[in-house]
Each structure stands twice: as structure tokens, then as C-alpha cells.
Amino acid sequence: SRARRLFAGMIPLLNKILEEESYFPAETHQSEGEDSTDGRVGNDSDGDSGEGRNSRGKYEQMNEESASQSVLYLRCCAYLVEAYLQGLIERTTHKRKSRNKYSNNMTIDSENEINLQTAVPIIDEAYQVAEILHSTLFPLHQLSTADPPSKTRKQSKQTLSSIFAMCETYWHGHFEDREQFVTQLIPLLLIKCLDVTAQKADIKRLHSIRDALNLLDFEDEESIASLKLHLLRTVSSPLFLQTAEGRKFISHLFRLHPSFVNDLHQAIKVQLPCVKRSILKAYAEIYFTAWKASCDSRNNDSEEVDRDDIQTAIEENVLQDIMHAGIHAAVPNTAKTVRSVLDQFYTKKKTPVVESMLHRLYGPLLWRALSSSNARVRIQA
């Protein structure tokens, strides 16, 4: 087909660009010392030195132009792959709507129903082009942040955004092997969201691919150590806490793995004594949403991670720890601040599942606190 020929024609040049790293402007400073120490004196030396500088200037300009063209070619390839993927999504959506309409008049057998949810296949040539483009994300990010600013640096930022969009489309389209296209996308989107120049649109993009975080291997600590540190930074980011998608994203982090629950809680806990009331409300929403989702996931029993462990970790390592801190705080204002994080639970305490949880977690704490020799502890209990 024409699509196969188009993408097949891109692959050799993409491989060459990748192997030669031609999207990086070449370093030309190595020859500077050689030209200046040739041992010649007088006017000839000055003339040769001037010619050498002119030659180097032209060489640098040519390499800058070559790098610029390589970056533009990467962006064009990303546009073409995304357009191809969008076309597949439209056709697949149309087919599914047709089948759903058909199912109103006739029952679809279970095998066909399952096929509607399977991964969407794409041609091998398009997959190879997308794979090559995805592998350039880290180098392009390095180029986009390099000094001094240049034409290639500006273009690399635009190309980076184009490849981001291509990878996001690949993920949202449920194409085959889509997990291969988020390994570089997630860390770079996360870095972008934590940058001082981040915007709400960046948070929404990261939130839209939050399910890709479920692929993280928390059993292999070394492989995700750097990414975990960036994820922990989101709980103190004003932009994450001020946007609905940001708060939902943080709530989702609590459901990744039981071992990560306490790390997130400790990162939030150190913020509590000195944050504004609006931030406390954000944390209250995050905790309640995370706990409620863990209960729902446990009932659905459809997740890979043991949701019993997730819910237990949230209740015992997070909620009960907040309850204990509120009862045993040495300063009344601190106790009030800490307890306000549980406001959403108190508001919904008439709900059977919430009432049961509060009774179960508060029970042993109140029993010990009311018999404490410390008068303040008894009052706060």
C-alpha cells in the first residue's frame, strides 16, 4: 500500500540521523588550539588565523543548518505518523459504532464483543518509524535545554511537542505494544509539568496517560528511583494542587503500589503545618478520592496489584496516622490543621462504608487516648 511505501522510505534516513546524531550541531572547538599553535609568526600567521576563523565560522553555520534540517525532518515524520494513527482511530471508531448499532437488533456473540476491546494493529513500517521517533525524545529534550539558545534549540522544542502528541495518540488509540511509547514520554511530561513554566494543559496531558504508570515495576527499585522522586515532587507542586486533573493524578499515585503509599503520605505530611487552607482542602480531596477508589477497585477485583493491600496501606499508614497526629499534637492549632485533612470523611460519615472505616480506625486510638495521663491528649480525643 501507499502507507507502507511512505513509511518504509522514511526509515533509512531516520536511522542515519539517529546513528550520526545529526540533529546535534557539531562541536568545532577542538581544532581551535591546533590552528593557533602552528608555530608561524608575522603577517602570514595572522592571515592564516583569520582564514581559519572564517572557515570555522562557515563550518559551524553549515552544521547548524544541517542539524536544523534533521530536526525538521523528525517533526515531519511525527506529523505523518500521528495523521496515520488518527485515521485508524476514526475508522476503528466508525466500525465500533456500526457494530453497536447492529447489536441493538441482534445479539453479538462474546468472542466478537471481546474483539472490540483488543489492541488495534498497525503496519510494521509505521510502527518502526514511531519507535525511532520515540527513541529521540531524551536527546531532543537535552538539545532543547542546551546553551546557548539557537535556531535548532527552538525547533527541537517544537519537534519534541510533535513527538509527544504522536506518542499520546498511540497510547490513547490502544494500538499494539502501546506500552513501548510511554517509557520516555512519561518522565519527560512529568519534568515538563514540574517546571516553573508549566501550564494547566500540561497537567491535563499527564493526567490523560496516568494509567501508563501502572506499568511501573515497584519490585525493581533501581529502575524507577529517579521517576519516583519526580512523582513525589507532584504533591508539593502548586499547579498540581490547584488543578482538578492534578489532584486526580496524585490520587491515582496512591493506587500504584502499597509500598509507594507511605512515601506519598510522608511527602504530604511535612507540608501540612505550614500550608494555606486551600491546599489543605486539596489534600483532603486527594486522600478521600484515593481511599474511595481503593475501595471501589477492591470490589471490582479487576486490577493487577492486590487492592486489599492498597486499601490497607491507605487506612493504616495514612488515615490512621493522621488521626493519631491530630489527637497527640502538642499545639492545638496543629491538631486542628491536621484534622482538617479528614474533613471530607467527616462530611460523609453517614455513608455506611465511611462510618465503618472511621469507627474501625478511630476505635483503638480513642481508647488509648482517653486513658492517657496527658490532659491535652484527652481533650483532643
Side-chain angles (χ1 to χ4, degrees):
S1 68
R2 287 179 292 180
R4 286 185 180 275
R5 291 196 298 271
L6 172 65
F7 291 118
M10 296 178 183
I11 295 173
L13 185 53
L14 282 172
N15 283 328
K16 183 179 179 181
I17 291 174
L18 198 63
E19 291 171 3
E20 298 179 357
E21 294 187 340
S22 58
Y23 44 83
F24 276 102
E27 295 291 337
T28 59
H29 301 293
Q30 295 178 352
S31 61
E32 185 173 349
E34 298 175 2
D35 290 338
S36 61
T37 58
D38 55 6
R40 287 175 291 182
V41 295
N43 293 333
D44 290 342
S45 177
D46 294 339
D48 289 345
S49 178
E51 290 177 4
R53 284 194 295 270
N54 291 335
S55 177
R56 286 195 299 273
K58 291 179 180 178
Y59 184 70
E60 291 175 0
Q61 185 177 0
M62 289 174 60
N63 277 281
E64 176 73 24
E65 188 62 31
S66 176
S68 176
Q69 291 175 0
S70 296
V71 171
L72 285 175
Y73 183 74
L74 294 177
R75 197 196 320 172
C76 289
C77 292
Y79 284 149
L80 289 171
V81 173
E82 186 182 6
Y84 168 72
L85 296 176
Q86 291 288 3
L88 287 179
I89 292 173
E90 290 179 7
R91 289 195 291 272
T92 303
T93 303
H94 178 72
K95 288 180 180 178
R96 289 178 179 177
K97 286 182 178 179
S98 299
R99 289 194 180 189
N100 289 336
K101 186 180 295 185
Y102 182 71
S103 67
N104 291 333
N105 301 319
M106 182 178 292
T107 303
I108 298 179
D109 59 68
S110 59
E111 183 178 353
N112 287 335
E113 188 65 32
I114 292 173
N115 287 338
L116 294 178
Q117 305 300 325
T118 56
V120 180
I122 69 169
I123 58 177
D124 293 339
E125 292 80 2
Y127 178 85
Q128 291 179 48
V129 172
E131 191 175 34
I132 293 171
L133 291 171
H134 175 261
S135 68
T136 66
L137 283 177
F138 279 140
L140 284 173
H141 173 71
Q142 181 183 352
L143 178 60
S144 68
T145 56
D147 288 324
S150 62
K151 176 183 177 182
T152 305
R153 175 180 173 180
K154 181 179 179 181
Q155 290 177 340
S156 66
K157 289 183 178 180
Q158 297 169 341
T159 301
L160 199 63
S161 181
S162 300
I163 300 177
F164 277 176
M166 180 206 74
C167 293
E168 290 171 56
T169 301
Y170 202 105
W171 175 263
H172 293 308
H174 294 272
F175 294 102
E176 288 181 334
D177 298 324
R178 65 175 184 158
E179 63 276 3
Q180 301 299 325
F181 295 90
V182 292
T183 54
Q184 293 190 28
L185 176 65
I186 288 178
L188 291 179
L189 265 182
L190 188 55
I191 291 172
K192 186 176 183 180
C193 290
L194 292 170
D195 191 77
V196 292
T197 61
Q199 299 178 352
K200 292 182 179 180
D202 298 321
I203 304 294
K204 291 180 180 179
R205 291 173 70 181
L206 182 62
H207 174 260
S208 70
I209 61 169
R210 64 193 180 281
D211 290 339
L213 292 170
N214 297 334
L215 301 172
L216 295 178
D217 183 7
F218 280 86
E219 303 301 325
D220 186 2
E221 287 286 336
E222 293 184 3
S223 66
I224 61 170
S226 177
L227 184 58
K228 280 179 64 177
L229 290 176
H230 283 91
L231 290 173
L232 290 173
R233 286 178 57 195
T234 62
V235 304
S236 58
S237 167
L239 190 58
F240 273 89
L241 297 172
Q242 290 167 5
T243 57
E245 289 80 8
R247 295 191 293 273
K248 291 176 183 177
F249 179 82
I250 297 174
S251 293
H252 182 78
L253 298 182
F254 278 91
R255 307 196 296 276
L256 294 181
H257 196 271
S259 64
F260 197 41
V261 169
N262 190 55
D263 293 337
L264 289 164
H265 173 54
Q266 294 304 320
I268 293 176
K269 189 176 178 181
V270 297
Q271 308 287 331
L272 296 182
C274 56
V275 296
K276 298 179 181 178
R277 183 163 182 79
S278 60
I279 301 299
L280 289 174
K281 288 183 178 180
Y283 287 141
E285 178 185 336
I286 288 168
Y287 280 136
F288 182 80
T289 304
W291 174 79
K292 186 67 168 61
S294 71
C295 296
D296 295 340
S297 297
R298 182 180 180 180
N299 293 333
N300 294 335
D301 196 23
S302 61
E303 302 288 342
E304 293 182 6
V305 179
D306 189 341
R307 292 304 168 183
D308 286 351
D309 291 343
I310 292 285
Q311 184 178 354
T312 300
I314 291 176
E315 290 182 352
E316 296 182 358
N317 298 339
V318 178
L319 301 182
Q320 200 166 46
D321 182 56
I322 295 173
M323 295 171 182
H324 181 276
I327 293 172
H328 292 82
V331 181
N333 285 339
T334 302
K336 183 179 180 181
T337 298
V338 172
R339 284 198 301 270
S340 67
V341 178
L342 299 175
D343 279 349
Q344 290 216 14
F345 293 92
Y346 300 147
T347 303
K348 298 176 175 63
K349 64 182 180 181
K350 292 185 178 180
T351 306
V353 65
V354 177
E355 182 182 21
S356 173
M357 181 273 293
L358 291 174
H359 182 269
R360 186 172 66 255
L361 299 185
Y362 259 125
L365 295 178
L366 293 176
W367 178 260
R368 288 193 294 269
L370 290 173
S371 58
S372 173
S373 58
N374 189 314
R376 182 161 298 284
V377 171
R378 295 196 301 272
I379 291 172
Q380 292 173 166

